[in-house]
Structure formats: C-alpha cells, structure tokens
Amino acid sequence: MTSPQPRIGVLRFPGACDDRDAFWALAAFDAEPVFVWHTETDLPDLDAVVLPGGFSYGDYLRCGAIARFAPAMEAVAAFAAEGGLVLGICNGFQILCEAGLLPGVLRRNESLAFVCRDVPLVVERTDTPFTSRCAEGERLTIPVKHGEGCWFADDALYEELQANRQIVLRYTEPVNGSRNDVAGVVNERGNVMGLMPHPEHAVDPLLGSADGALILSSLVEAARKSVLAGV
Amino acid sequence: MRATVLVRPKHGILDPQGQAVESSLRQLGFAVGEARVGRVVDLELESNDPAGARAEVERMCEQLLANPLIESYEIELTEAAGD
C-alpha cells in the first residue's frame, strides 16, 4: 500500500520570498505542495497550509498587518477554525499574530538590527503536529533572518500561554529581544503554529543543518494522517 | 473632515527606536529625558459628521492602524480647510 501524499498549500503574497524554498522542502518530504495566490477567496482541497517568509506588502504599517486582510487569509482562518493545520514561518508567523490566529505580536528586534544567522533552539513540546518528530528538550540549529522577530506578550497573556503549554520553541541564547526567548508558539487548540526560524532553509546537511526537516516532516506526517482519516 | 491619528508604543512597552533617538539627541548635546517614537497617519474623510467620523476612525484604528497589544492611539478631528 502506498501512503497518500498530503496536499499542502503554500500561500504567495506580493513580497514573499521564501515561498519556493517552502515548496521545494515540502516536496522533498513527499508532500504535494500547491501554491495559493493571495487573492484566492477559497482554498483548494488541502491537508495543511504553510505561510512562508518574506515581506508581504512591503511590511508597510506593521509586518503582517496588511497581509492579514488578503482574501486568502479569510479562507485560512476558516480552514484553521475547522482544525486544519497551519504553519507560519517568519513573515507567516507575523501575519498569523496580526490575524489573531496566534497569540502575541512580533516587533522590531531590540537591537534594531537585522539578524541573519543560525540560532540554537530548544523544543519545549513534542505533542504538536509540528514537532512530533522532535524529542522533548532536543536542541535544534535553524537559521533566522528577520528585522522584526521580537515576540511580545504582556504578563497576563504570557502566563496564560505558559499554563496552556503554548510555547513550543525557545532560543537558548538572546537573538532578538523576544520575551523569555520565545521562538515559536501554537494556538490553544494546537493546530496553528508560528515560528521565526526558517525550517525550510535547514533541510539538508549541505545547508549547514538539517534540523528544520524535523519540523516540516512532522507537519507532512500529520497532514498525511488527516488524509488517511478522511479516506 | 480630516483626521490625524497618533499611534504610540504603549506605556511600559520597550521602545528601542525611542532609545536610539534619545541617545543620539544626547550625543548632539540636547538635554532630553525619555524619547518615544510612534507614527502619524493623516486621513481625509468623506464624512462631515464629527461623531460619525470619530467612530469610523476608531474602527480603523482597532482593525488596522494600531495593534492594541503594543500600541495606543489618539484621534484628532479637524474640519477640512476650504480653499
């Protein structure tokens, strides 16, 4: 029996730049990636959605603030509300926060400088569709490249997220001024995740690290299960 | 009518841009305390009704112009200057 190939949508906004990397990486993990243009009002039949990195709409006003109103984002919100898997990477994370699909907000890096380097991370939670192939406490090395990756939540929100175990990834050293070094979070239901590091840029030892493969192959595996469940 | 929307980082929110401006001003010899950097949005409105216009601009702020987690906003309304 051949295992079904999950279809994973990759949203394309004007100003996105990592859409093809995400597409390539998902295909490498045996998913069937499908580009979805930002003006689409309906998603095709998908098992998961990835919002890739970049600078949608020039990051005008606040990063992600304008992209969240793209017609395709309404469809993504509906997809997430039905329990669909959504992963936002970098700008995708910023968009999901602005859209209210993930908690917190991404601000200018504390240093005001663009950060572009491999960063060390620790996995805090493995019972999510995005980290099931990681071990709890596992250290990962995945690159970041952002000017606005300083995740912020006020005290009350942060306590709530801690209590709900919604912090999934943390930097193990200061990177951008993020509150408590948060690098990735999930929504309460656990079907939407955002992270600033770029797993799609770390899927082969030739790229310096293959640790991003753990995140993306977890997603592909979870999407495949949803195909099987639907059959 | 015209509206000017002032968007500011909320009190207690770290403002690295403000800190950079503050230290530059000090280096130039100016005696300044804290500096905070926000954003101004000038809007031309079709409405001539101040209450309605204010309510509309408030909705704009809530939906798009400010992120309530980190920013506060103030709205100033003025009659559009006739030529």
Side-chain angles (χ1 to χ4, degrees):
Chain A
M1 179 190 150
T2 54
S3 67
Q5 219 184 9
R7 296 184 88 206
I8 302 187
V10 177
L11 247 65
R12 299 188 109 169
F13 296 97
C17 61
D18 299 324
D19 42 344
R20 277 176 292 186
D21 300 57
F23 189 97
W24 186 92
L26 291 167
F29 296 119
D30 202 27
E32 182 198 346
V34 184
F35 282 128
V36 179
W37 188 237
H38 66 116
T39 55
E40 296 292 328
T41 50
D42 294 305
L43 297 178
D45 188 21
L46 297 173
D47 304 301
V49 173
V50 170
L51 274 62
F55 302 86
S56 56
Y57 301 93
D59 275 353
Y60 295 148
L61 196 63
R62 296 178 309 277
C63 45
I66 298 184
R68 68 164 284 208
F69 293 109
M73 278 307 295
E74 268 187 46
V76 168
F79 181 76
E82 286 170 14
L85 300 172
V86 180
L87 176 67
I89 302 167
C90 194
N91 190 221
F93 185 15
Q94 296 164 342
I95 296 167
L96 290 171
C97 284
E98 280 285 340
L101 293 175
L102 285 175
V105 58
L106 282 312
R107 307 184 62 217
R108 278 285 286 280
N109 293 345
E110 202 174 283
S111 63
L112 298 179
F114 195 90
V115 182
C116 182
R117 65 181 170 91
D118 286 342
V119 297
L121 299 158
V122 61
V123 181
E124 301 238 321
R125 189 173 159 187
T126 58
D127 59 339
T128 79
F130 314 95
T131 51
S132 58
R133 293 203 168 179
C134 304
E136 199 154 316
E138 188 170 354
R139 305 287 167 136
L140 307 178
T141 301
I142 299 181
V144 296
K145 48 177 181 112
H146 59 243
E148 295 171 78
C150 175
W151 182 83
F152 173 83
D154 62 21
D155 292 345
L157 178 60
Y158 184 77
E159 292 306 319
E160 184 190 323
L161 298 178
Q162 276 281 85
N164 292 340
R165 300 174 59 243
Q166 286 178 248
I167 315 293
V168 177
L169 292 173
R170 274 184 221 272
Y171 308 109
T172 58
E173 63 184 37
V175 169
N176 50 27
S178 264
R179 170 147 208 180
N180 297 70
D181 297 316
V182 168
V185 300
V186 285
N187 63 346
E188 196 173 353
R189 189 169 173 182
N191 63 313
V192 180
M193 175 169 169
L195 75 169
M196 287 314 293
H198 286 266
E200 79 283 16
H201 295 336
V203 291
D204 189 290
L206 273 177
L207 298 169
S209 164
D211 290 350
L214 294 168
I215 309 269
L216 293 177
S217 62
S218 296
L219 170 66
V220 171
E221 187 178 79
R224 183 173 289 126
K225 279 182 192 153
S226 84
V227 182
L228 288 168
V231 167
Chain B
M1 304 209 68
R2 287 176 171 276
T4 298
V5 179
L6 302 168
V7 181
R8 297 190 170 93
K10 273 186 177 171
H11 284 294
I13 297 270
L14 181 72
D15 176 19
Q17 282 192 87
Q19 289 178 342
V21 168
E22 182 185 316
S23 80
S24 292
L25 288 172
R26 289 210 186 117
Q27 279 173 32
L28 290 170
F30 293 103
V32 292
E34 192 185 27
R36 311 273 290 170
V37 174
R39 185 189 301 125
V40 173
V41 183
D42 285 321
L43 298 165
E44 280 178 19
L45 304 170
E46 285 181 9
S47 167
N48 287 317
D49 159 40
R54 180 171 293 277
E56 193 176 17
V57 176
E58 268 174 20
R59 288 204 305 280
M60 294 179 197
C61 290
E62 296 292 332
Q63 281 184 41
L64 179 66
L65 299 180
N67 183 322
L69 281 177
I70 47 171
E71 292 167 332
S72 61
Y73 61 85
E74 253 173 58
I75 300 167
E76 288 170 9
L77 283 178
T78 47
E79 299 288 334
D83 288 344

